Amino acid sequence: MAQEYLDMDTIKYLLYDVHGLNELLAYERFQDHDMESLGLFIDSVKEFADRELFPYFKEMDEHPAYHKEGTVIVHKQVDVMMKKGGEMGLIAAPFDYEHGGLQLPAMAYTTAAYILDAANNHLPGYAGLTLGSAELIVHFANEELNATYVPKMLAGEWGGTMCLTEPQAGSSLSDITTKAIPTDEGYYKISGQKIFISGGDTQYAENIVHLVLARIEGAPAGTKGISLFVVPKNRPNADGSLQYNDVMTVADFQKMGQRGYCTTHLGFGDKDDCRGWLVGEPHQGLKYMFLMMNGARIAVGRGAAAIAMAAYQASLEYANERPQGRKLTSTGKKNPDENQSLIIEHPDVRRMLLLQKAIAEASLSLVLLASRYQDIKQATNDESERNKYHLLLEMIIPIVKTYPSEAGAVAVNNGLQVLGGYGFCSDFILQQYYRDIRISAIYEGTTGIQSQDLLGRKITMENGKALALLAAEIRETMGTASAYDDLKPYAEKLGAKLTLSQEVLNFLMPFAKKGDYERYLADANLFMEFLSIVVIGWLWLDMAIKAKQRLLTGDMNYSEAFYESKIHTMKFYFRYELPKTTGLAESLMDPEALTVKTDKKVFV
Amino acid sequence: MAQEYLDMDTIKYLLYDVHGLNELLAYERFQDHDMESLGLFIDSVKEFADRELFPYFKEMDEHPAYHKEGTVIVHKQVDVMMKKGGEMGLIAAPFDYEHGGLQLPAMAYTTAAYILDAANNHLPGYAGLTLGSAELIVHFANEELNATYVPKMLAGEWGGTMCLTEPQAGSSLSDITTKAIPTDEGYYKISGQKIFISGGDTQYAENIVHLVLARIEGAPAGTKGISLFVVPKNRPNADGSLQYNDVMTVADFQKMGQRGYCTTHLGFGDKDDCRGWLVGEPHQGLKYMFLMMNGARIAVGRGAAAIAMAAYQASLEYANERPQGRKLTSTGKKNPDENQSLIIEHPDVRRMLLLQKAIAEASLSLVLLASRYQDIKQATNDESERNKYHLLLEMIIPIVKTYPSEAGAVAVNNGLQVLGGYGFCSDFILQQYYRDIRISAIYEGTTGIQSQDLLGRKITMENGKALALLAAEIRETMGTASAYDDLKPYAEKLGAKLTLSQEVLNFLMPFAKKGDYERYLADANLFMEFLSIVVIGWLWLDMAIKAKQRLLTGDMNYSEAFYESKIHTMKFYFRYELPKTTGLAESLMDPEALTVKTDKKVFV
């Protein structure tokens, strides 16, 4: 087991130097916070993660959650995560004061959750989904539902889940069939099956509050007929006592990774006694769910970014300690009389470590950027500013979900490879990160779905305004970089890629315009990879600028080497990752359609 | 669990139509075989794999091999694999008649082993390593050692292993310290520790014959002082009885995948009573080992190719059965009143399936090509022909080991993604393939080591002659393709890439010439990826030509759609994979050295 799972200096550098958390504190919403109180909060979370999360990471994998007699038995730290985490405000953090929250900036809350994810990615989801389902109630449900459920949820006493997926529908929510029959008593009778419900049941939860998508009898077909309900496992009686609400934990799903974070199959209304309470208006359920989906997607990206970082730390630690082989001499041979080198001295190992560093640190930067957009959007009183950050946020959300998930898995793969045979062995932790991170590209909309969202909705949003705003942000960073002689060439490289992205879109757009959406979106996945690489190049250029400025002014919170390493990693990214866009653009602008189904039989 | 793990038509197409197994039968060495007997052999192997391997695949993962009181307890099918496999000639197949072998072409033997790998990759290694260690004895050891060990090994009664790695040395064999002290009785006393020994012990093996690299007392340092020994677990007495030879199974390694294929830690001579017999001459051990290493490296590539194929079959089966979502209409929306589509109708799913098909089938083609080179090299009496195929084989070996391992893992990753959330669940088999294939990039020389071999040794071999021969083969295929109007553009694309590869080498060579080998090899990994993509493009073009010819002549063994699908997949490969070389070349020709260690601290 590795000693460390994080680089707190880099976290603080990104939070303060790069993304300017302090600037946010000028907004009225955050006026009760200051840099010192936020710093203390983050440090206390790290201390909590060190003590209560990280030490149990491996054993939660080795002793997964399991289904037994209608309930799911989880590790005891799940209870600690919920109750102590609740006490610490880890669920209440982003909520308004009036709902019992702390009004913490999303950037600070996200940093806290990232630390927890890096320490032990099997635990934070229990709190995170409770937060997410409480948000749905707070935003869309009536006061009674708020009063009944939210305080218990924010305290970590009751858990919460999101119940979307059904066996026959998968990602296609228009096909869900869970039924809600109105009654005269104000509640609905719920019946149906939901699968892949994370955190759906534990032996510790006094109650679990499910936010369930279902169809009210007679509702229109498709996504327009879906409503949202609060369906508790146990329904509170008038006297505060709890009564079983006919929500059955039918089974669980055993998984390749993240095995301590239970995934359940729930059955509602098997005995015709399952009551659900409508959230907001009928038939608006999917809209509500998706208004809250950004948070869930940032959370997945954040978790993947954190796993990539933890894996990087573990493989760096190994590379710094493991002697093996020797440097090549000028004859191309090795000299056996020399001492062995540490493997971190070999170029190929350095390449794998730099790749991990480039991906892991930029993924965190991306997640914090999204949180910053969220914060400004929420905190500003200026409508045009709100709209700008709303569009920027919408624009990058699919990338925030996808890049850390996909590139993060590549980073962990390289981390495993650094350890050679040991990387494949259960005694070392890399193989667990390798398995755990793999779910990220599936959770909350697969990479395929995110890519369709990016190219199909976000790029075309308000006639391309979201994309134009993003491009303007990138150009601004390029402008700043151009003022520094040694950064200018990188700004130019990035500019060329921005131009290339426009060429790609010019090639694709006519398909959409003539109504051939299938062809337009057929390579959305490649476009996602293409645009992600450009965006990450932008974030690295920005990190390099901020480092350069510190080096030039001498106003340094960290060592000179720390700032130099950021510039070095930017150069690495531009040399090894950015060129991939050239081939991707070549593929994207190839006129031949080979993946759209025709009469020709392809899979023979 | 999926129903099928192979596409026998494609195997036969590659074996007969593409790589012309029948042509090999003209060589005297193979004169006793004919197409019918080889076909029967392959079918009988498939039948054996269906019955004895595939049904146990999942349970061998769920109940891994484990160490208990000095032995390793493995699944009962290990015994079947060894004994029945031995009876069927699966170990003896490639050996000469005089050693009890069948003189089967490597192409046929490789096909058989590939079928076994695809059915259950946890089992064939037990036989494969027995074959490999018997080969070492046959080629380099004296008659007595041959007589004592080889017949029992080829029959599958005794297992065999290769003992190279030691805890302190890892991939750096020059640092091994296992000791061999000569005695007057002709044997050596062996003492030391070996780790990562695959198939090192089972409760079924009456004996296991270890081929051990060790240093004779007083031998020179480094690789020049390493000798090879036969060190049986139990030494045969003159009367044929067996006596324990002080080879202790100290522990095993629990792994992320391939959990039914045990990996052991062996201790030799703990009680000062471990006898070893020298193979061949002293200090030639590493040379002997590496003369036999090609076989081991082909075997790893073959195993990875087989896993990628089995995973493809499983995900194809799922995609053909799973309804979900709908096609996009001309408004870009979906019509909920329509029936659900099968997911195989969605372009992004088709892309993932075609990528798997492109990688899996080409990987097999590559492995068969290497076997063909082996066969001609071994069977020919013409020295210049032998030298040609020797060089071609050496040239492609690192790619044969690496491409199926690295691209195969990407293929399986896409296969898992096709299943969405189910892909991550233990009830579905994709997650097992995902874990199993990950070892391939580590076994028998990691991807880093293969890449150094490719760029450092193979490219420069005989002043570039091996590379020139390979380029000539590729150009010949391009020439043939150019005769067909619809294949000609692809031949031209491939030609451009061949030119680009020369540009890359022109850029890199000066570093080697001025003795800066570290810089020369720093990006060997990227060069491996680059050249692999070109080679696979060549193999796809070749497959498309052979399909085209069948379609034109009408002399078809399979459906028209079968041949069309090969051409379609070639086009897919050229549109989605070949362009990656552009970005790789950009990276490879970037003058900035960022991974070679300098005084600058990079990992801060």
Side-chain angles (χ1 to χ4, degrees):
Chain A
M1 190 84 183
Q3 296 300 306
E4 191 44 89
Y5 54 90
L6 270 186
D7 166 8
M8 287 302 288
D9 283 353
T10 291
I11 292 179
K12 290 180 178 176
Y13 168 69
L14 289 171
L15 202 50
Y16 305 132
D17 295 21
V18 175
H19 293 294
L21 173 58
N22 54 324
E23 294 162 19
L24 291 180
L25 302 181
Y27 288 104
E28 194 189 336
R29 178 178 175 81
F30 304 127
Q31 65 184 1
D32 297 338
H33 303 290
D34 57 34
M35 295 300 283
E36 200 190 335
S37 67
L38 293 177
L40 284 172
F41 172 71
I42 290 167
D43 290 342
S44 73
V45 171
K46 174 68 164 65
E47 196 270 331
F48 177 64
D50 282 348
R51 197 181 60 236
E52 300 288 1
L53 278 75
F54 190 55
Y56 304 95
F57 180 49
K58 198 162 197 300
E59 69 182 56
M60 287 185 72
D61 177 62
E62 287 165 352
H63 306 285
Y66 63 97
H67 180 251
K68 189 180 166 189
E69 295 162 11
T71 186
V72 177
I73 310 299
V74 298
H75 193 280
K76 69 180 173 59
Q77 290 310 104
V78 172
D79 198 36
V80 174
M81 176 76 244
M82 287 297 287
K83 307 264 168 72
K84 289 217 181 148
E87 266 174 45
M88 287 176 70
L90 288 171
I91 304 173
F95 288 85
D96 293 353
Y97 294 140
E98 58 168 315
H99 299 113
L102 308 178
Q103 284 192 196
L104 215 64
M107 280 182 78
Y109 167 73
T110 295
T111 302
Y114 173 85
I115 292 170
L116 303 174
D117 284 330
N120 183 341
N121 70 78
H122 301 205
L123 284 169
Y126 291 99
L129 271 184
T130 303
L131 185 163
S133 43
E135 265 186 330
L136 278 171
I137 299 175
V138 162
H139 281 83
F140 306 113
N142 62 30
E143 268 183 42
E144 194 188 332
L145 289 173
N146 266 275
T148 308
Y149 293 100
V150 174
K152 295 271 194 188
M153 294 171 82
L154 298 203
E157 287 171 41
W158 291 358
T161 78
M162 310 273 210
C163 298
L164 288 77
T165 309
E166 298 180 7
Q168 80 293 344
S171 300
S172 176
L173 294 173
S174 61
D175 292 308
I176 67 168
T177 59
T178 292
K179 225 176 4 185
I181 303 176
T183 68
D184 294 338
E185 287 88 55
Y187 60 82
Y188 289 73
K189 284 194 135 180
I190 307 290
S191 60
Q193 306 279 317
K194 294 285 180 179
I195 58 166
F196 294 153
I197 308 308
S198 300
D201 196 12
T202 83
Q203 79 272 36
Y204 296 112
E206 189 188 38
N207 202 3
I208 302 217
V209 185
H210 305 290
L211 275 286
V212 177
L213 290 181
R215 271 177 210 290
I216 299 174
E217 243 188 346
T223 50
K224 280 179 219 147
I226 297 174
S227 305
L228 181 63
F229 297 87
V230 168
V231 188
K233 177 174 179 179
N234 300 303
R235 59 192 186 234
N237 292 315
D239 63 358
S241 65
L242 292 173
Q243 178 178 350
Y244 177 61
N245 190 38
D246 195 15
V247 177
M248 199 151 86
T249 304
V250 179
D252 71 343
F253 293 87
Q254 288 296 314
K255 310 189 299 292
M256 175 174 75
Q258 222 172 57
R259 294 153 61 90
Y261 186 30
C262 70
T263 309
T264 59
H265 177 167
L266 302 178
F268 296 87
D270 198 45
K271 302 194 174 60
D272 195 29
D273 186 31
C274 178
R275 300 184 183 178
W277 286 265
L278 182 68
V279 174
E281 301 293 314
H283 314 324
Q284 301 297 313
L286 210 61
K287 192 181 86 184
Y288 299 153
M289 195 58 99
F290 274 89
L291 280 169
M292 290 295 105
M293 195 47 97
N294 281 353
R297 289 180 171 171
I298 293 174
V300 174
R302 183 197 75 211
I307 296 172
M309 176 61 85
Y312 167 55
Q313 295 299 324
S315 87
L316 181 60
E317 193 176 304
Y318 182 87
N320 267 317
E321 288 168 2
R322 169 73 178 173
Q324 194 182 299
R326 284 165 193 77
K327 285 174 87 75
L328 288 165
T329 64
S330 60
T331 60
K333 308 273 181 208
K334 293 163 185 186
N335 177 0
D337 297 327
E338 251 180 38
N339 283 334
Q340 290 186 308
S341 310
L342 293 172
I343 64 169
I344 198 170
E345 297 175 28
H346 299 311
D348 194 49
V349 173
R350 297 174 83 76
R351 185 187 58 77
M352 293 191 280
L353 291 169
L354 274 163
L355 182 60
Q356 290 181 73
K357 182 177 167 74
I359 293 171
E361 296 186 358
S363 291
L364 173 56
S365 186
L366 179 64
V367 167
L368 290 177
L369 179 76
S371 304
R372 185 183 158 83
Y373 289 168
Q374 277 187 305
D375 280 329
I376 301 178
K377 177 186 164 184
Q378 184 175 32
T380 186
N381 294 316
D382 174 340
E383 189 150 348
S384 85
E385 190 178 37
R386 182 161 49 241
N387 193 47
K388 173 181 168 183
Y389 286 95
H390 165 69
L391 287 174
L392 280 170
L393 181 63
E394 289 297 318
M395 184 67 222
I396 66 166
I397 282 289
I399 300 177
V400 174
K401 156 71 172 60
T402 303
Y403 179 82
S405 301
E406 294 284 349
V410 172
V412 177
N413 185 40
N414 277 272
L416 190 154
Q417 190 75 7
V418 166
L419 275 72
Y422 291 115
F424 197 66
C425 290
S426 308
D427 280 349
F428 290 77
I429 202 68
L430 265 301
Q431 50 80 31
Q432 186 179 338
Y433 290 125
Y434 185 78
R435 292 181 286 109
D436 286 349
I437 200 171
R438 184 61 186 84
I439 186 62
S440 311
I442 298 168
Y443 273 157
E444 307 293 357
T446 62
T447 295
I449 285 175
Q450 300 301 324
S451 303
Q452 310 246 329
D453 181 48
L454 178 70
L455 188 60
R457 292 197 199 99
K458 302 306 173 62
I459 292 284
T460 55
M461 205 174 179
E462 297 197 10
N463 284 317
K465 193 170 167 199
L467 180 62
L469 283 170
L470 179 67
E473 298 284 304
I474 296 177
R475 283 213 186 83
E476 194 184 318
T477 303
M478 282 161 47
T480 312
S482 298
Y484 305 95
D485 281 351
D486 46 348
L487 300 184
K488 198 176 172 190
Y490 299 95
E492 283 164 2
K493 281 192 190 190
L494 190 62
K497 297 303 180 186
L498 211 52
T499 308
L500 185 58
S501 70
Q502 198 51 59
E503 284 171 37
V504 168
L505 286 173
N506 291 346
F507 176 87
L508 291 175
M509 278 304 164
F511 293 113
K513 287 200 177 119
K514 71 180 181 199
D516 190 357
Y517 288 97
E518 210 172 25
R519 173 67 180 86
Y520 174 60
L521 293 176
D523 290 329
N525 212 296
L526 277 75
F527 183 77
M528 166 67 85
E529 195 181 346
F530 176 91
L531 194 62
S532 298
I533 295 175
V534 175
V535 165
I536 298 298
W538 164 48
L539 295 182
W540 266 115
L541 189 62
D542 188 41
M543 283 186 263
I545 292 170
K546 307 288 166 61
K548 187 79 197 168
Q549 290 169 339
R550 293 286 180 171
L551 286 165
L552 287 174
T553 61
D555 175 21
M556 296 189 278
N557 298 319
Y558 315 103
S559 68
E560 200 174 309
F562 176 89
Y563 294 106
E564 289 287 2
S565 85
K566 300 303 177 211
I567 296 172
H568 192 89
T569 310
M570 178 278 288
K571 291 180 179 175
F572 176 89
Y573 187 86
F574 273 71
R575 187 190 185 298
Y576 286 89
E577 291 294 294
L578 200 67
K580 289 180 177 168
T581 50
T582 319
L584 286 164
E586 225 174 291
S587 294
L588 279 160
M589 294 194 282
D590 192 307
E592 207 162 13
L594 296 168
T595 55
V596 175
K597 189 171 182 286
T598 64
D599 290 342
K600 200 164 112 183
K601 205 162 151 36
V602 168
F603 300 101
V604 190
Chain B
M1 190 87 183
Q3 296 300 306
E4 191 45 90
Y5 54 91
L6 270 185
D7 164 10
M8 288 302 289
D9 283 354
T10 291
I11 292 179
K12 290 179 178 177
Y13 169 69
L14 289 171
L15 203 50
Y16 305 131
D17 295 20
V18 176
H19 292 294
L21 174 58
N22 54 325
E23 295 162 18
L24 291 179
L25 302 182
Y27 288 103
E28 195 189 336
R29 177 178 177 80
F30 305 127
Q31 68 185 358
D32 297 339
H33 304 290
D34 56 34
M35 294 301 281
E36 199 190 337
S37 67
L38 292 178
L40 285 173
F41 171 71
I42 289 165
D43 290 342
S44 72
V45 171
K46 175 67 163 69
E47 195 270 331
F48 175 65
D50 282 348
R51 199 181 59 237
E52 301 288 0
L53 277 77
F54 190 56
Y56 304 96
F57 179 49
K58 198 163 197 301
E59 69 182 56
M60 287 187 71
D61 176 63
E62 287 165 352
H63 306 284
Y66 62 97
H67 180 253
K68 189 182 169 188
E69 294 162 12
T71 187
V72 176
I73 310 300
V74 298
H75 192 279
K76 69 181 174 55
Q77 290 310 104
V78 172
D79 197 36
V80 175
M81 176 74 244
M82 287 296 289
K83 308 265 167 69
K84 290 217 181 146
E87 266 173 46
M88 287 176 70
L90 287 172
I91 304 173
F95 288 85
D96 293 353
Y97 294 139
E98 58 168 314
H99 300 111
L102 308 178
Q103 287 193 195
L104 215 66
M107 279 180 79
Y109 167 73
T110 295
T111 302
Y114 172 86
I115 293 169
L116 303 174
D117 285 329
N120 183 341
N121 70 79
H122 301 204
L123 283 169
Y126 291 98
L129 271 182
T130 304
L131 184 162
S133 44
E135 266 187 328
L136 277 171
I137 299 175
V138 163
H139 281 83
F140 306 113
N142 62 30
E143 269 183 41
E144 195 188 331
L145 289 173
N146 266 276
T148 309
Y149 295 101
V150 173
K152 295 272 194 187
M153 293 171 82
L154 298 202
E157 288 171 40
W158 292 356
T161 78
M162 312 273 210
C163 298
L164 289 77
T165 308
E166 299 180 6
Q168 79 293 344
S171 301
S172 174
L173 293 172
S174 61
D175 292 307
I176 68 167
T177 59
T178 293
K179 227 178 358 188
I181 301 176
T183 67
D184 294 339
E185 285 89 56
Y187 60 80
Y188 290 73
K189 285 194 135 179
I190 306 292
S191 60
Q193 306 281 318
K194 294 284 182 182
I195 58 165
F196 293 153
I197 308 308
S198 299
D201 195 14
T202 83
Q203 78 272 37
Y204 296 112
E206 187 186 40
N207 202 3
I208 301 217
V209 185
H210 304 291
L211 276 286
V212 177
L213 291 181
R215 274 175 207 292
I216 299 173
E217 242 188 348
T223 52
K224 280 178 221 149
I226 297 175
S227 303
L228 182 62
F229 297 87
V230 168
V231 187
K233 177 175 180 178
N234 300 305
R235 57 191 187 236
N237 292 317
D239 63 358
S241 66
L242 291 172
Q243 179 178 349
Y244 177 61
N245 191 37
D246 195 14
V247 177
M248 198 149 89
T249 305
V250 179
D252 72 343
F253 294 87
Q254 288 296 314
K255 311 189 297 294
M256 175 174 75
Q258 222 171 55
R259 292 153 63 89
Y261 186 29
C262 69
T263 309
T264 58
H265 176 168
L266 302 177
F268 296 88
D270 198 44
K271 303 194 173 60
D272 195 30
D273 186 32
C274 178
R275 299 181 183 178
W277 285 265
L278 183 67
V279 173
E281 301 294 314
H283 315 324
Q284 302 297 311
L286 210 60
K287 193 180 85 185
Y288 299 153
M289 195 57 98
F290 275 88
L291 281 168
M292 290 295 107
M293 195 47 95
N294 281 354
R297 288 180 171 172
I298 294 174
V300 175
R302 184 196 76 212
I307 296 172
M309 176 61 86
Y312 167 55
Q313 295 301 324
S315 86
L316 181 60
E317 194 176 303
Y318 182 87
N320 266 318
E321 288 168 1
R322 167 74 177 173
Q324 193 182 299
R326 284 165 191 79
K327 286 173 86 76
L328 288 166
T329 62
S330 60
T331 60
K333 307 274 177 204
K334 295 165 183 184
N335 177 359
D337 297 326
E338 253 181 35
N339 282 334
Q340 289 187 309
S341 310
L342 293 173
I343 63 168
I344 199 169
E345 298 175 28
H346 299 311
D348 195 50
V349 172
R350 297 175 82 77
R351 185 186 58 77
M352 293 192 280
L353 291 168
L354 275 163
L355 181 60
Q356 291 181 73
K357 181 175 167 74
I359 293 172
E361 295 186 1
S363 291
L364 174 57
S365 186
L366 179 64
V367 167
L368 290 176
L369 179 77
S371 305
R372 184 182 158 83
Y373 289 167
Q374 276 187 306
D375 280 329
I376 301 177
K377 176 187 165 183
Q378 184 176 32
T380 185
N381 293 316
D382 175 339
E383 189 150 348
S384 84
E385 191 179 37
R386 181 159 49 241
N387 193 46
K388 173 182 169 182
Y389 286 95
H390 165 69
L391 287 173
L392 280 170
L393 182 61
E394 289 296 319
M395 184 68 221
I396 65 165
I397 281 289
I399 299 176
V400 174
K401 156 70 173 59
T402 304
Y403 179 81
S405 301
E406 296 282 351
V410 172
V412 178
N413 185 42
N414 277 273
L416 189 153
Q417 191 74 8
V418 166
L419 274 73
Y422 291 115
F424 196 66
C425 290
S426 308
D427 280 349
F428 289 77
I429 203 68
L430 266 299
Q431 51 78 30
Q432 186 178 340
Y433 291 125
Y434 185 78
R435 291 180 287 110
D436 286 349
I437 199 172
R438 184 60 186 84
I439 187 63
S440 310
I442 297 169
Y443 273 156
E444 306 293 355
T446 62
T447 295
I449 285 175
Q450 300 302 323
S451 303
Q452 309 247 330
D453 182 49
L454 178 70
L455 188 59
R457 294 196 198 97
K458 301 306 173 60
I459 292 285
T460 55
M461 205 173 180
E462 297 198 10
N463 285 317
K465 193 171 168 197
L467 179 62
L469 283 169
L470 178 66
E473 298 285 304
I474 296 176
R475 284 213 185 79
E476 194 183 319
T477 303
M478 281 161 46
T480 311
S482 298
Y484 305 96
D485 281 350
D486 46 348
L487 300 184
K488 198 176 172 191
Y490 300 95
E492 283 164 3
K493 280 190 191 191
L494 190 63
K497 297 302 178 185
L498 211 52
T499 308
L500 185 58
S501 71
Q502 199 50 60
E503 282 172 38
V504 168
L505 286 172
N506 291 345
F507 176 87
L508 291 175
M509 277 303 166
F511 294 112
K513 285 200 177 119
K514 69 179 182 199
D516 189 357
Y517 287 97
E518 211 173 23
R519 173 67 180 85
Y520 174 60
L521 293 176
D523 291 329
N525 212 295
L526 276 75
F527 183 77
M528 166 67 85
E529 196 182 344
F530 176 92
L531 195 63
S532 298
I533 294 174
V534 175
V535 165
I536 298 299
W538 163 48
L539 295 182
W540 267 114
L541 188 62
D542 189 41
M543 283 186 263
I545 292 169
K546 307 287 166 60
K548 187 81 199 167
Q549 290 169 340
R550 294 285 179 170
L551 286 165
L552 288 174
T553 61
D555 176 20
M556 296 189 278
N557 299 318
Y558 315 102
S559 68
E560 200 175 308
F562 176 90
Y563 294 106
E564 290 286 4
S565 86
K566 300 302 178 210
I567 297 172
H568 192 89
T569 310
M570 178 277 288
K571 291 180 179 176
F572 177 88
Y573 187 87
F574 274 71
R575 185 189 185 302
Y576 287 88
E577 291 294 293
L578 201 66
K580 289 181 177 168
T581 50
T582 318
L584 286 164
E586 225 174 289
S587 294
L588 279 159
M589 295 194 281
D590 190 309
E592 208 162 12
L594 296 169
T595 55
V596 175
K597 188 173 182 288
T598 62
D599 290 341
K600 200 165 112 184
K601 205 161 153 35
V602 169
F603 299 102
V604 189

